[in-house]
Amino acid sequence: MKSSNHVLGGLGTTIFTVMSALAQEHQAINLGQGFPDTDGPEDVRAAAARALMDGPNQYPPMMGLPALRQAVADHDRRFLGIDLDWTREVLVTSGATEALTAALLAFLEPGDEVVLFEPLYDSYLPIVRLAGAVPKLVRLAPPDAAHADWSIPAEALARAFSPLTKLVLLNTPLNPVGKVFTADEINAVVDLAAHYDAIILADEVYEHLVFDGRPHISPLQHPKGRGRTIRVGSAGKTFSLTGWKVGYLSGPAELIRLVAKAHQYLTFTTPPALQAGVALGLTKEDAYFSGIATELAAKRDRLALGLAALGFDVLPAGGTYFLAAGFRHLDAVSDDASFARRLTVEAGVAVVPVSAFYDGTDAPRDLVRFCFCKQDSVLDEALARLGRWTAALGQAPANLPRDA
Ligand code: PMP
Ligand code: GLN
């Protein structure tokens, strides 16, 4: 048989699928893969259901339903103060995954360099490499007791850029650790991108899931970012409808026109009924958007407090569905992948190892990611299971951590 594409041939199954399968096999509570366990707003689902029954159910316009493109433009004006021409500066895609892939394929050529930040979402590097481009990874400052903020190291950032930099991909708020980039950090990225004339691809799927009064800042808001940033959003996250796979991009017309060239050959378009539902969702009152963040922040606190009481070193999470936690007080030997497996199989709670979000073999191996967008009763049951498991550890000397 002929060989596969060398990039894809070298890859395994995504960590989300692997951990969800393991969770199912062991009837574990799945705090691994990031998805809510309640469905999104009823009016959004009802609008999609009506559109499905009333039709038309034929190909919608390649750029997206006008109603949804207008709603995205109005949304970006309302929340970010950005004025967009919905006819040319917004594109609808089948999820943020397609939006990111289309944007990378639209611009990258073999030998181009792409600046990315580790830890990073799992779909970025395969697509960069499929395009033949060269990733330049900037590792965010790993947390320690004094400095748990995943900040961008300024010197490493400057070193990552070069005249070959075609694009920089920034995810804020950041999966898997919940970091929300500050205005200073965004400014530094925009300044360098402007200096090297690079495109900024901003993965902002968690834009509304930001906690504790922090602002979500997009490089598209920056005067020097407006002409070179493509912003990516996802109805999956904003409306707790991850299975719908409706995404949207906004940015300057010339860049969006080029991304549309890739989109027209990837999926061409996205189910119209789902687009109609999301169009209604994006016009919801401000209270909906602030409400989802408040509700989720309370879940973060519920899980964080419970984990800390059990001996996990919980790192601060300012946004997203996720928090990262160290486990060295519970297991001094296992790496994160083995520990995630132990938790799933022995405690009945599935999590994701944070090293899955790194490229090389020298990733931090002492952190796991917990997803907290679950019903309170589910979080409580997960904590109860973990409590029983840690208590049993204490009674079994052979399992005690070495430094305990
Ligand atoms: N980017 C990040 C950072 C994500 O966590 C996800 C998760 N699903 C995506 C993109 C993909 O979003 P979608 O499901 O809309 O394709
Ligand atoms: N974004 C989700 C996560 O980080 C998973 C998406 C997927 O399963 N591909 O858990």
Side-chain angles (χ1 to χ4, degrees):
M1 227 209 324
K2 304 271 190 200
S3 59
S4 73
N5 170 278
H6 72 283
V7 174
L8 297 176
L11 297 172
T13 305
T14 84
I15 189 69
F16 311 117
T17 300
V18 169
M19 293 314 297
S20 285
L22 196 67
Q24 208 159 16
E25 186 186 336
H26 294 275
Q27 286 96 48
I29 294 177
N30 191 352
L31 303 187
Q33 191 178 28
F35 60 91
D37 59 358
T38 45
D39 274 343
E42 202 172 322
D43 53 354
V44 174
R45 288 183 283 130
R50 264 196 315 276
L52 188 82
M53 293 316 292
D54 294 350
N57 283 287
Q58 310 312 324
Y59 296 128
M62 186 271 278
M63 297 289 285
L65 283 190
L68 178 51
R69 285 186 282 151
Q70 283 168 35
V72 170
D74 290 347
H75 165 278
D76 285 12
R77 188 173 303 110
R78 170 157 59 134
F79 292 104
L80 299 168
I82 301 165
D83 276 316
L84 294 163
D85 170 357
W86 70 267
T87 62
R88 299 186 311 138
E89 297 193 306
V90 177
L91 172 67
V92 176
T93 56
S94 292
T97 310
E98 196 228 332
L100 292 159
T101 299
L104 292 170
L105 294 180
F107 296 105
L108 297 183
E109 297 209 74
D112 284 344
E113 293 181 359
V114 181
V115 176
L116 306 116
F117 301 88
E118 272 186 322
L120 79 187
Y121 186 59
D122 73 336
S123 78
Y124 302 166
L125 286 174
I127 306 300
V128 168
R129 289 184 171 131
L130 272 178
V134 182
K136 293 285 168 184
L137 293 164
V138 178
R139 192 167 282 203
L140 299 174
D144 59 48
H147 196 71
D149 65 355
W150 303 97
S151 56
I152 301 180
E155 277 177 26
L157 179 67
R159 272 201 311 276
F161 278 83
S162 86
L164 295 179
T165 308
K166 175 68 80 65
L167 186 144
V168 48
L169 203 176
L170 181 74
N171 170 215
T172 184
L174 177 71
N175 181 6
V177 294
K179 153 89 179 179
V180 181
F181 287 93
T182 63
D184 284 350
E185 287 170 317
I186 304 268
N187 290 345
V189 172
V190 173
D191 281 344
L192 280 161
H195 181 78
Y196 288 100
D197 194 21
I199 294 158
I200 304 168
L201 181 55
D203 179 347
E204 302 180 16
V205 299
Y206 299 103
E207 60 189 315
H208 288 292
L209 311 182
V210 180
F211 315 138
D212 314 318
R214 284 178 184 78
H216 165 70
I217 304 170
S218 172
L220 191 59
Q221 293 170 288
H222 194 293
K224 281 198 265 176
R226 177 65 176 88
R228 62 181 65 255
T229 302
I230 303 167
R231 206 180 92 72
V232 177
S234 169
K237 317 295 170 189
T238 297
F239 300 107
S240 302
L241 295 163
T242 60
W244 278 23
K245 301 294 287 188
V246 178
Y248 22 87
L249 301 115
S250 39
E254 184 51 19
L255 299 186
I256 294 295
R257 186 178 71 80
L258 295 170
V259 180
K261 290 199 183 199
H263 165 69
Q264 69 185 344
Y265 297 125
L266 283 171
T267 58
F268 182 71
T269 190
T270 299
L274 302 184
Q275 292 194 50
V278 175
L280 181 129
L282 286 173
T283 64
K284 286 174 86 67
E285 67 287 6
D286 289 358
Y288 167 76
F289 296 90
S290 55
I292 50 172
T294 310
E295 205 179 303
L296 210 49
K299 293 183 184 299
R300 172 205 57 185
D301 294 344
R302 192 177 195 100
L303 184 65
L305 282 173
L307 291 176
L310 295 174
F312 285 91
D313 291 317
V314 178
L315 303 179
T320 75
Y321 285 159
F322 312 111
L323 62 80
F327 53 83
R328 281 289 168 243
H329 297 300
L330 301 168
D331 182 337
V333 260
S334 300
D335 67 13
D336 58 345
S338 314
F339 185 76
R341 213 187 146 77
R342 278 194 80 187
L343 277 197
T344 310
V345 175
E346 298 175 19
V349 178
V351 295
V352 168
V354 166
S355 64
F357 298 81
Y358 285 79
D359 186 35
T361 49
D362 60 341
R365 296 277 173 186
D366 55 357
L367 295 172
V368 288
R369 188 192 80 171
F370 288 84
C371 172
F372 50 77
C373 56
K374 305 290 175 185
Q375 294 172 60
D376 289 349
S377 59
V378 172
L379 296 177
D380 291 347
E381 170 59 18
L383 287 168
R385 289 184 180 196
L386 291 170
R388 289 196 288 277
W389 182 73
T390 54
L393 282 184
Q395 286 154 19
N399 283 345
L400 272 180
R402 274 194 212 138
D403 64 350

